[in-house]
């Protein structure tokens, strides 16, 4: 939480219209610099997205989807010991900091066995969030271990990753 607070404090300091002591994160985020500071924020400091996912992805805001073409889990992931499966999903959050209101939509979840099979991963949003704030796109990767046909999430904290990949 401290890391996010620290980043938001830097964004707040980009509010050049309010007097010192009354600056707002929302006004800082209205600037390109503010969005750039928050973009690529990793929620898990121990699992940065660029260290876990070792391939490129594309965000298509027009078609409301994120794609990871030619994805091979065994090659394109830094996989923790014991993981047998990976789940990839995305979130589209629209949040208005001034009004303290927002809405989010979660994509489909792609659960894949960690093997050498190539898959074109497509994460689609079935609808747009119904709010009037700023759009945040997040990508999430979580690892699982299958035991007796049941998948259990690996909660070691060193590999599950979630990152803000775009702010519009």
């Amino acid at each position: 939480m401290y890391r996010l607070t620290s980043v938001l404090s830097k964004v707040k300091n980009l509010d050049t219209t309010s007097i010192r002591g009354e600056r707002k994160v929302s006004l800082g985020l209205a600037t390109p610099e503010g969005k750039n500071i928050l973009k690529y924020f990793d929620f898990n400091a121990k699992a940065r997205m660029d260290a876990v996912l070792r391939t490129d992805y594309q965000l298509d805001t027009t078609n409301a989807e994120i794609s990871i073409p030619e994805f091979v889990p065994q090659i394109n992931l830094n996989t923790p010991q014991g993981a047998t499966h990976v789940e990839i999903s995305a979130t589209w959050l629209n949040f208005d900091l001034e009004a303290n209101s927002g809405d989010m939509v979660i994509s489909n979840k792609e659960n894949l066995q960690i093997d050498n099979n190539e898959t074109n991963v497509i994460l689609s949003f079935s609808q747009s969030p119904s709010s009037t704030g700023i759009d945040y796109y997040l990508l999430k990767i979580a690892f699982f271990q299958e035991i007796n046909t049941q998948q259990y999430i690996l909660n070691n904290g060193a590999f599950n990753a979630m990152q803000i990949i775009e702010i519009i």
Side-chain angles (χ1 to χ4, degrees):
M1 193 64 164
Y2 170 76
R3 291 183 326 86
L4 181 57
T5 302
S6 176
V7 169
L8 292 175
S9 180
K10 291 176 187 174
V11 172
K12 173 195 59 121
N13 289 338
L14 294 171
D15 171 4
T16 58
T17 59
S18 303
I19 62 171
R20 197 169 152 191
E22 294 182 20
R23 292 180 181 157
K24 298 178 182 177
V25 173
S26 60
L27 295 177
L29 270 175
T31 68
E33 297 85 2
K35 289 176 183 167
N36 282 334
I37 288 173
L38 192 54
K39 186 176 174 180
Y40 301 123
F41 178 81
D42 286 293
F43 287 89
N44 184 351
K46 296 178 182 177
R48 292 185 13 234
M49 186 63 70
D50 62 352
V52 174
L53 181 63
R54 298 184 293 195
T55 191
D56 294 330
Y57 58 84
Q58 289 85 40
L59 169 63
D60 180 349
T61 56
T62 303
N63 294 314
E65 67 181 28
I66 297 170
S67 62
I68 308 172
E70 302 173 359
F71 178 71
V72 181
Q74 193 76 39
I75 296 170
N76 299 133
L77 290 171
N78 184 8
T79 307
Q81 184 176 357
T84 60
H85 290 75
V86 63
E87 183 178 274
I88 306 171
S89 62
T91 301
W92 178 5
L93 168 68
N94 184 284
F95 195 78
D96 183 337
L97 284 168
E98 280 295 312
N100 196 26
S101 66
D103 187 29
M104 76 175 176
V105 178
I106 299 173
S107 74
N108 57 301
K109 297 176 181 180
E110 290 292 328
N111 186 287
L112 304 168
Q113 186 170 350
I114 298 172
D115 57 20
N116 285 314
N117 291 324
E118 183 179 293
T119 305
N120 289 320
V121 174
I122 305 290
L123 305 172
S124 302
F125 299 100
S126 59
Q127 63 190 40
S128 301
S130 59
S131 190
T132 58
I134 294 175
D135 288 317
Y136 304 82
Y137 293 89
L138 294 87
L139 184 61
K140 178 183 173 188
I141 296 180
F143 292 97
F144 292 79
Q145 182 177 55
E146 185 174 271
I147 300 173
N148 297 329
T149 71
Q150 291 292 315
Q151 289 187 25
Y152 300 92
I153 191 161
L154 294 181
N155 285 323
N156 65 4
F159 288 91
N160 295 332
M162 186 167 70
Q163 181 185 75
I164 298 173
I165 62 169
E166 185 62 84
I167 303 171
I168 300 174

